[in-house]
Amino acid sequence: MKSTALIAAAAFTLLMAPDAQAASCSGRGCNDKDPVAAGCGSGSTTADTAPMYTGGTAELRWSPGCRTNWVRISNYSGGDSALRITVWSSSDHVGFVAAGTPGNHWGNMVYAPGCARGEVLYVDSAGVHRTARLASSAC
């Protein structure tokens, strides 16, 4: 009998707790917003990846809840310039500049229920200009 009461109490607590992962935007209302701060990072998937010449991986991320895409750079080893991150759909375009420091970086979102493309422009530690290009499967 105690276990039933404990289960019921736990279920009630979960139902009453605020959803910490609830998105604060959707659709075009998410354009140029931070995906993590807006709650769109939860449940997101990787639509495409491209290796970065100096180390790290560029990823085109997709949020089914917010219907948005953005570019995330994972394990970047650093370079001689800022990262110029761009993501676009057929109707919307968002640009973002992130520090060229080692680590993880991401750009802001764009509403993209269909085809989405992303790009990272950077200068590697040898001073060579590089581009990582990304596209969703709907392109």
Side-chain angles (χ1 to χ4, degrees), residues 27 52 55 68 75 88 123 134:
M52 307 266 303
T68 57
N75 302 315
W88 65 94
V123 178
L134 305 152

Side-chain angles (χ1 to χ4, degrees), residues 41-75:
S42 178
S44 66
T45 59
T46 301
D48 192 18
T49 62
M52 307 266 303
Y53 180 79
T54 57
T57 303
E59 303 170 332
L60 182 65
R61 301 291 295 171
W62 163 250
S63 169
C66 297
R67 300 181 54 120
T68 57
N69 284 94
W70 65 93
V71 175
R72 178 175 74 182
I73 296 100
S74 299
N75 302 315

